[in-house]
Amino acid sequence: MGRKYKKSKSTSNHIRGKKGSQFRAELRGIDLEKVLIVSIDAAKFYQKVMVCNYFGDVLLEPMFFGVNKKGISSLHEKLQKIKAKVEAKRIFVGIEATGHYYEDIVRELEALKYVVTIINAATTYEERAGALNWSKTDDLDLDAIAQVIIQNKGTENKLPQGKYQELLTLTRARRNEVRKRSRVKVEIRTLMDKIWREFQGHVLVNGNTPTKVELFSDFWGKSSLFFMKHFPHPEDILSMDEEGIRALSVKHNLKLRDSTIRNLLYVARESLCKPKETVRPELLLLKMALQNIEYLNENIKVLEKEIEKVLLETDGRLLLSIPGIGVITAAEFYSEVGDLSNFEHAGQIIKKAGTNPIVIQSGGLQGFHGKISKQGNKNLRFIVYTIGKSLAQHNKDLRSYYNKLRDRGKHQRKAYIALGNKFIRIAFSMLKNRIVYETKDESYEYLKMMKEKLRHTKMKDFYQLISAA
């Protein structure tokens, strides 16, 4: 890497950094009696709100309101009446991030010029626990949310918007489809164990040495899926000879080798599976599962095409210049991090991911770094780990850093996290300065790498996007 990616420093001098400085600036010199705290507990149907001042004096008892035009308008009117009555100078609104139910409320209140703090559900849980109250009711949640606002423990101040929101929706949807596909794949393997166990591989014993032999190099490849769909039982295979299977291969472009055809017939003859008639339920379930795989594969393909299109319209495309970072990984990281203007330095993103090591120190001793905090965005944390793993394998510049960590005795998973954190610092600098990755690898070819990574975009379209940026 020819360029040295510098770590930017925070300009705030508050003990809680930028967030603390902003909160201090809002409150300094103001009569706290005239500061309104609005806590909202969001749910699917029943939303509840409470208003108090900075000292906790209740000005509006907990009440329900509807998430529609009438409900939001009524809430706004009540807040404005309270504001006029106490001559409030500041209004702080806090809402717990409950599923996705809070998003409409945040968007509508922001349109009415309220600044809304989004609060992690774990934070309100800890607030209740800190009060030694193990009950959970709507009113207790409102109390906890109010205390979180007063203590400035909220997490986000804005919902992701524009391209960030598009990518966030698309990448999370894709990940969900991939997880569904993984579960269906396990189901298919289990069904094939019951229908024709050896289809996934059989063992040849030479002397006392067992050797596993697979019928197909890729169990989820075209040939394997074809036979599972049309000839899933040994009786189906034995109804044909070598010439019949070879003709089938040519007709459907399966490209089967003669050795594969002979192996397929051998395994079918030697199989100890149940007669086809007795596994009819399993065959029906297999047919349905294979249809699911086709459906999920098509969904994932459509989502990946759209993700690539949207990513190339953002600065997130700069991340594609890093060896080991593909379209999906770049899109997931870029969307989960969100607008970089919310961060002063890369360490804040690391903390958001929860991959920051916990520092254990007491009594003036030097202290040490323990486990990672895991107190951030779990989706971003998973991506950071995945990125570290990919860079360790595919990035020649950063592989040496990974190897140093391993040589020092760092566990493999911890080394992946550390490498992922290093990536965050590099990515932060690249995105802030809008620069591409620079490497010492002489075999690195930027445009060639782009061509390999972009599966749904023609290079001429990519050039136009780059020149227009």
Side-chain angles (χ1 to χ4, degrees):
M1 294 173 289
R3 187 187 302 270
K4 190 172 183 180
Y5 300 97
K6 296 181 179 180
K7 181 191 284 188
S8 56
K9 295 182 180 180
S10 172
T11 56
S12 61
N13 60 352
H14 194 275
I15 59 174
R16 297 190 67 186
K18 180 181 178 182
K19 190 168 73 168
S21 296
Q22 292 173 337
F23 196 62
R24 171 197 63 195
E26 289 286 331
L27 291 178
R28 178 158 285 169
I30 293 178
D31 180 1
L32 297 182
E33 296 274 5
K34 297 182 179 182
V35 174
L36 296 185
I37 305 297
V38 182
S39 54
I40 299 175
D41 185 28
K44 186 169 186 176
F45 298 110
Y46 303 105
Q47 335 295 323
K48 216 168 185 181
V49 62
M50 180 187 74
V51 182
C52 62
N53 63 20
Y54 192 82
F55 298 107
D57 301 320
V58 178
L59 304 176
L60 176 66
E61 295 288 344
M63 56 162 280
F64 291 104
F65 68 96
V67 182
N68 50 36
K69 292 181 179 179
K70 183 178 179 180
I72 297 296
S73 177
S74 175
L75 174 61
H76 176 55
E77 288 177 9
K78 283 183 169 59
L79 293 180
Q80 291 305 307
K81 284 181 181 179
I82 296 171
K83 177 184 178 182
K85 183 177 180 180
V86 301
E87 299 179 346
K89 301 299 182 183
R90 295 286 186 274
I91 300 179
F92 293 97
V93 182
I95 185 169
E96 186 180 72
T98 308
H100 56 272
Y101 304 124
Y102 69 98
E103 295 178 0
D104 289 336
I105 302 172
V106 173
R107 188 173 61 252
E108 291 300 318
L109 290 179
E110 286 182 342
L112 293 169
K113 307 304 180 184
Y114 292 99
V115 177
V116 184
T117 298
I118 302 168
I119 299 167
N120 193 308
T123 305
T124 54
Y125 171 82
E126 291 297 333
E127 190 62 38
R128 289 196 306 272
L132 300 180
N133 195 330
W134 304 109
S135 299
K136 186 186 184 305
T137 66
D138 292 340
D139 289 359
L140 287 174
D141 282 344
L142 289 171
D143 292 343
I145 292 168
Q147 288 299 323
V148 170
I149 302 169
I150 291 168
Q151 297 170 49
N152 192 28
K153 292 181 179 178
T155 51
E156 305 284 355
N157 289 326
K158 287 186 178 181
L159 291 172
Q161 297 176 345
K163 298 300 179 184
Y164 295 109
Q165 178 59 46
E166 286 185 45
L167 281 176
L168 195 64
T169 301
L170 291 168
T171 54
R172 288 188 177 182
R174 177 196 171 275
R175 185 169 294 280
N176 189 42
E177 295 298 282
V178 168
R179 286 170 179 160
K180 288 180 186 177
R181 184 175 65 181
S182 297
R183 290 193 292 269
V184 176
K185 284 184 175 182
V186 171
E187 180 185 347
I188 289 173
R189 284 189 178 275
T190 302
L191 287 168
M192 286 306 299
D193 281 340
K194 296 177 180 179
I195 297 168
W196 184 5
R197 178 178 177 181
E198 296 85 358
F199 187 86
Q200 298 182 63
H202 64 286
V203 174
L204 295 177
V205 180
N206 185 8
N208 196 35
T209 304
T211 303
K212 180 183 175 182
V213 179
E214 295 181 341
L215 285 177
F216 303 97
S217 57
D218 181 5
F219 184 76
W220 303 108
K222 180 179 178 180
S223 300
S224 179
L225 289 172
F226 176 85
F227 279 98
M228 279 192 283
K229 184 176 182 179
H230 301 287
F231 304 93
H233 194 273
E235 292 179 15
D236 299 324
I237 300 298
L238 295 176
S239 66
M240 301 179 287
D241 56 13
E242 282 191 38
E243 288 302 319
I245 297 176
R246 190 174 291 109
L248 201 66
S249 174
V250 172
K251 181 179 179 180
H252 297 280
N253 194 28
L254 302 180
K255 299 179 181 178
L256 295 179
R257 297 178 179 178
D258 289 344
S259 59
T260 302
I261 295 174
R262 289 192 292 270
N263 202 18
L264 192 60
L265 287 166
Y266 169 79
V267 172
R269 285 193 299 269
E270 294 295 316
S271 177
L272 297 177
C273 65
K274 299 176 183 177
K276 185 176 180 180
E277 186 64 25
T278 64
V279 291
R280 286 177 60 192
E282 287 82 1
L283 289 169
L284 176 61
L285 293 175
L286 176 65
K287 180 180 178 181
M288 294 167 62
L290 288 170
Q291 289 174 346
N292 280 341
I293 282 288
E294 290 179 3
Y295 174 74
L296 291 168
N297 281 340
E298 185 59 31
N299 283 354
I300 292 168
K301 183 179 178 180
V302 170
L303 287 169
E304 288 180 346
K305 183 176 181 179
E306 188 64 20
I307 288 169
E308 184 173 303
K309 174 187 173 184
V310 177
L311 178 67
L312 293 180
E313 296 171 354
T314 72
D315 285 345
R317 63 175 178 263
L318 294 169
L319 300 177
L320 297 178
S321 63
I322 305 176
I325 302 298
V327 170
I328 301 304
T329 305
E332 287 182 324
F333 177 80
Y334 186 75
S335 61
E336 292 291 346
V337 170
D339 189 351
L340 282 190
S341 65
N342 295 324
F343 306 97
E344 291 186 332
H345 55 82
Q348 292 170 331
I349 300 177
I350 292 172
K351 191 170 183 180
K352 178 176 181 175
T355 54
N356 55 307
I358 299 172
V359 180
I360 310 296
Q361 188 268 340
S362 180
L365 299 177
Q366 183 176 356
F368 63 93
H369 288 87
K371 298 179 180 179
I372 61 173
S373 70
K374 294 187 179 180
Q375 290 181 313
N377 180 325
K378 67 177 181 180
N379 295 301
L380 181 56
R381 183 162 57 252
F382 176 78
I383 294 163
V384 171
Y385 174 83
T386 304
I387 285 173
K389 187 175 182 180
S390 178
L391 293 177
Q393 298 172 11
H394 305 293
N395 191 299
K396 294 181 179 180
D397 294 316
L398 298 175
R399 190 182 301 151
S400 59
Y401 176 71
Y402 170 79
N403 291 334
K404 286 179 183 178
L405 294 174
R406 295 288 286 145
D407 292 341
R408 282 163 39 193
K410 187 80 80 173
H411 190 280
Q412 187 180 57
R413 289 195 295 271
K414 290 184 178 180
Y416 288 154
I417 289 290
L419 189 52
N421 285 343
K422 189 173 184 68
F423 163 82
I424 289 176
R425 296 186 181 94
I426 294 171
F428 180 80
S429 179
M430 288 173 59
L431 294 171
K432 273 285 187 182
N433 300 301
R434 302 192 76 216
I435 56 176
V436 297
Y437 181 79
E438 292 190 9
T439 176
K440 294 179 181 178
D441 183 7
E442 295 180 355
S443 63
Y444 175 90
E445 294 183 36
Y446 173 69
L447 294 178
K448 181 181 179 182
M449 182 174 292
M450 287 296 110
K451 192 171 182 179
E452 292 174 353
K453 292 180 179 181
L454 299 177
R455 299 179 180 179
H456 306 284
T457 305
K458 296 179 180 178
M459 288 308 292
K460 67 174 184 178
D461 296 332
F462 175 69
Y463 294 145
Q464 291 175 356
L465 283 167
I466 293 297
S467 59

